[in-house]
Amino acid sequence: MFRSAKNTIALAAAIVSVGGLTAACGSSSGSSGGVVNLTYMIWDSGEKPAYQASINAFEKAHPDIHVTIDVAAWAQYWAKLQTAAAGRDMPDLFWDHLAYLPELAKDGIITNIADDVKSSNVDLSQYSPKLLAQWENGSTIYGLPKDWDTIETVYNAKDLSAAGITPAQLGALSWNTTDGGSFVQALQKLTIDQNGKHPNEAGFDAKHVKQYGIALEGSTGQQDWWDFGVQNGCSLQDKQYGKWTISSTACVQAMQFEQDLMYKWHVAAPGTVTNTPNAASLPQILAQNTAAMTFDGDWDLTTYQSSLPTGGWGVATLPTGPKGSGTVYNGLSDAIYAGTKHPQQAWELEEWLGSAASEKIVTDAGTVWAAIPSLDDGFIAAWKAKGVDVSAFYTGAQGTTMGFPLTISGTAFNNVVLKDMNQVWLDQMAPQAAASDITSVSNAAVADGS
């Protein structure tokens, strides 16, 4: 799962800097008294308790291995890895993201576990085929799938009720590029200026909006226009590790629709409110009533639960677009550092974390959806016990999805897309111009192998 896409430029730069340091690097692991010490690095402190429970079970079965979980917040995570590489002290295992997988693999920083998978008879058929395909490339496997996420609508229940919209109605909305459809009509009801007027009423003051219908935020597009894109038939690439196709009509229309939400219909918070990396987080924006709803990933569920009153928020499926429903589908794995001093013990930990037993511990705690589909009910039940129906994420995952792009040009893409799309969301650049520039720059990087 992507979690947040903030600070992408810094992270991408960090990965570039890490490259080339691998061959000579050691790791933070060691051994004492016959016990091998491993370090496992993650970026979400909220998920640590569930993973610690999993590690406790692992250590009980492997008394000769001790694992320390090292948490570095997403904003510092990749930079910390860079520093660790420079000091030849990288963690033995660490969470990996598809945005960085191709460059980590190309630079030899992470371990191809294909031989271990075969010799240990790991049943790969237990995993979601869509997830497994993201971590396999030909004869290589760079991690066992550990979780998945999608993007759905998260709403403020009080605001929704005040507008006379039910959660069921919210999940049945549709949009089009002509008049915006029922999606824009609902957002008009949810948008209120300082005088209590809505955008479709005479005298509405677009410069003094008290509450927007929606706020959309994502430095790459995962939580905003990519979702409109998949609902409009847009493909970001012609194939995995292939050429970028963002300048297609379907993708440009998706960008244009989001810009129109801001500046044509005045129902979405403008870029001055949502542009990354400096904007408030989406849970904060919802809790502060800056907007009544947003698109967000299930990785933020715990933050919504702590930011809004009990029963004060909920989840609904995304609207459908001209080509139907769709959402971005992503997942994480655990990467083994290629320079670990204890590759056998690191693999044993990797195998455990990717097992049904470990993933059940984590998903039954409501931490993340498991990469093993037979465990999905545990996540839904965990959140039902907290009073929140999260089944919309499951529904989205079963339908049309767009996987996270896989490319060796991730650094170039992340840089140009953040620069150009922030201008689009400020109404200072046309979507077509941005799409053409992003496609040109990113494909040039593909051709250069950078």
Side-chain angles (χ1 to χ4, degrees), residues 285-419:
I285 287 175
L286 218 62
Q288 294 166 356
N289 279 110
T290 302
M293 56 185 261
T294 186
F295 294 170
D296 204 358
D298 43 78
W299 60 83
D300 266 338
L301 289 176
T302 300
T303 307
Y304 286 106
Q305 186 76 338
S306 62
S307 301
L308 289 139
T310 302
W313 63 285
V315 184
T317 54
L318 295 178
T320 57
K323 299 296 183 183
S325 62
T327 182
V328 179
Y329 182 80
N330 187 37
L332 301 181
S333 78
D334 296 303
I336 298 177
Y337 171 47
T340 177
K341 296 176 182 175
H342 302 287
Q344 177 58 38
Q345 289 81 2
W347 162 248
E348 291 176 24
L349 178 56
E350 168 90 25
E351 186 179 13
W352 163 254
L353 291 169
S355 70
S358 174
E359 293 200 8
K360 181 174 174 56
I361 291 172
V362 177
T363 200
D364 283 358
T367 302
V368 290
W369 295 92
I372 299 173
S374 60
L375 301 175
D376 282 334
D377 287 345
F379 189 81
I380 293 174
W383 278 96
K384 184 177 181 180
K386 299 177 184 179
V388 183
D389 180 2
V390 298
S391 59
F393 290 104
Y394 178 82
T395 300
Q398 306 311 304
T400 301
T401 59
M402 173 192 288
F404 207 91
L406 284 165
T407 178
I408 60 170
S409 67
T411 300
F413 171 78
N414 290 334
N415 279 303
V416 69
V417 78
L418 182 64
K419 174 180 70 68

Side-chain angles (χ1 to χ4, degrees), residues 90-221:
M90 289 193 75
D92 302 280
L93 270 78
F94 56 92
W95 283 1
D96 194 7
H97 191 283
L98 292 170
Y100 307 103
L101 163 68
E103 290 171 285
L104 288 168
K106 180 171 71 74
D107 292 337
I109 292 173
I110 55 179
T111 301
N112 173 15
I113 61 172
D115 288 344
D116 292 313
V117 168
K118 183 177 181 180
S119 62
S120 298
N121 295 315
V122 175
D123 180 12
L124 295 179
S125 69
Q126 68 184 317
Y127 299 110
S128 161
K130 287 194 294 189
L131 286 175
L132 186 61
Q134 294 174 326
W135 298 100
E136 284 186 312
N137 185 20
S139 61
T140 63
I141 304 176
Y142 283 104
L144 297 175
K146 79 176 197 66
D147 63 27
W148 63 265
D149 62 81
T150 59
I151 308 301
E152 301 300 337
T153 302
V154 183
Y155 60 85
N156 183 309
K158 184 178 179 180
D159 296 339
L160 206 66
S161 177
I165 301 172
T166 68
Q169 290 172 327
L170 190 63
L173 300 175
S174 63
W175 64 271
N176 61 66
T177 58
T178 304
D179 62 10
S182 58
F183 181 58
V184 167
Q185 292 172 13
L187 293 180
Q188 288 173 331
K189 292 181 180 180
L190 291 164
T191 302
I192 308 170
D193 73 7
Q194 63 180 7
N195 297 314
K197 292 186 177 296
H198 301 279
N200 54 340
E201 292 181 330
F204 174 76
D205 184 355
K207 295 183 179 179
H208 296 90
V209 176
K210 180 180 178 182
Q211 172 187 291
Y212 289 98
I214 192 168
L216 298 164
E217 178 182 312
S219 61
T220 59

Side-chain angles (χ1 to χ4, degrees), residues 46-62:
E47 296 184 17
K48 183 179 178 181
Y51 279 98
Q52 187 61 63
S54 169
I55 293 299
N56 292 345
F58 172 78
E59 290 179 336
K60 187 175 182 180
H62 299 76

